Amino acid sequence: MKAFFLTDTAGPDSAVVRDEPRPVLTAGCVRVALKAASLNHRELWISRGLYPGMKLPCVMGADGAGVVTEVAEGVDPALVGQEVVLYPGDGWGDNRRFPARSFAMLGMPLPGTIAEEICVPATTVFAKPAHLSFEQAAALPTAGITAWRGLTERAALQSGETLLVTGVGGGVATFALIFGRALGAAVYVTSGSDATLARAVALGAAAGFNYREPGWRKALQEASRGLDVVFDGAPAAGLAEYSRALRAGARVVIYGSTGGPTMTMAAPDLFLRHVTVSGTAMGDLVDFTAMLAFITAHRLEPVIDRTFTIDQSREALLYLENGHAFGKVVIAI
C-alpha cells in the first residue's frame, strides 16, 4: 500500500510517500480502507522532532475517514462496509479529566492515516455523519475534538454568552467558531489578516479584530460588552490584552502556544473577576461521540482550505506550513 512516511526529523522534506506492506489485523481491531486524511500542525512539529516519545519511521497523520473492509475474530462483522471516521488516538483511560500516561495518537507513535489502509481498535471507529463527504469527515477528529471539549467540558459555554476565539483561520479555532455559533454564543474573533476576519464574519462571527492594529482590545471590549469565555491558542500574544475585557466568572481555555510558551496576565484581572484559566488538548471517546452527534444534529460542515492527493502529501505539508489560509488541509486517498 501507499503510505506517507517520516524517516527523520529534518523537517517536512524528510517525509516521503512509499510502498509498504499492508498492516496486520490483530485481535479487537478492524481494517479500514482510508478515503481521506487531514493535516494538523502536529505533523509539522513531529517532522522536526518537536514531540515527546518520537519513534521513527512512522506513517504520518492522526485524522482519517474510510470504509471498514475486514474485522478481527470476535469483532461485530456488521461493521464491514460501514463508512467511518476514526478517533485519532487510543488508551485515554478511565479518568475523563485527563488522559492516561499510556494514551497514544495515530501518526506517531501509532501508525497514521495518510495511507491506503490502517488497522485500529474497533472501539475507535465511528459512523461517518451521513451529510459529510469523506474529505469533510477526515477534517474533524483532532481539531474538532479539541475545540469541542474546550468549549463544552472546560468552558461550559452556554447559549447567550460571549465567546472570543483567537487566531481564527487555524483548524481548531475555526471549529471553535462553528461550534460556538451552533451552541448559541455570540462569537468574536481575532486574526492578523483582514481577509481572514472577513471570512470568519461570513461564517457567523459577530465581529473580528485585527491584533496587529493598535486599540483592538478596546474595540473588542466595546463591541462585546465583556467576554464570558475565551478560547485561545496563542496566549503569549493576547492574554494581557483581552484580560481586562473579561466579565466576572469568565473562563479562559488555553489549547496551544503559538507565539511562545510564556503568557502574562495581571493578577487582579484574574482574582478580582473570579476568572478560571484552564488548559485542554484532545478529548476522550465520550467527547468524540458527543461531538459527532452535535455535528449530525446541526448538520455542521468543516471548512476545507485545500485538498491534495496522497502522492502530493509532502506538498500538502509544506502548504500547511507556508501557504495555509483558512480551514483544514485535506488529503484524498
Side-chain angles (χ1 to χ4, degrees), residues 168-313:
V168 74
V172 179
T174 302
F175 274 115
L177 166 58
I178 293 169
F179 291 152
R181 287 282 295 124
L183 287 164
V187 185
Y188 297 86
V189 298
T190 67
S191 172
S193 162
D194 289 338
T196 296
L197 293 174
R199 290 196 64 180
V201 170
L203 267 181
F209 302 89
N210 192 321
Y211 56 69
R212 301 184 192 280
E213 295 180 358
W216 71 267
R217 190 271 304 166
K218 185 177 180 180
L220 166 66
Q221 188 169 2
E222 291 175 351
S224 66
R225 298 183 180 181
L227 302 169
D228 297 299
V229 173
V230 179
F231 191 67
D232 194 352
L239 180 59
E241 289 289 333
Y242 62 67
S243 59
R244 291 193 178 182
L246 298 174
R247 287 179 176 168
R251 293 86 73 199
V252 178
V253 179
I254 308 297
Y255 70 90
S257 56
T258 301
T262 303
M263 58 188 190
T264 60
M265 179 180 185
D269 290 335
L270 181 67
F271 65 81
L272 291 179
R273 289 182 169 87
H274 298 264
V275 171
T276 300
V277 180
S278 60
T280 195
M282 271 291 293
D284 66 2
L285 293 172
V286 176
D287 296 315
F288 201 67
T289 301
M291 179 189 72
L292 292 178
F294 187 82
I295 287 169
T296 299
H298 291 267
R299 296 187 67 81
L300 302 178
E301 297 182 4
V303 178
I304 294 178
D305 179 4
R306 186 172 169 185
T307 301
F308 295 79
T309 68
I310 190 171
D311 289 323
Q312 298 171 316
S313 294

Side-chain angles (χ1 to χ4, degrees), residues 48-71:
R48 292 186 168 84
L50 303 176
Y51 210 82
M54 291 290 297
K55 295 180 180 179
L56 298 180
C58 69
V59 180
M60 301 195 79
D63 299 343
V67 178
V68 177
T69 59
E70 185 182 359
V71 300

Side-chain angles (χ1 to χ4, degrees), residues 23-40:
V24 176
L25 185 65
T26 56
C29 292
V30 300
R31 184 185 303 276
V32 178
L34 289 156
K35 301 298 183 183
S38 74
L39 293 174
N40 299 284

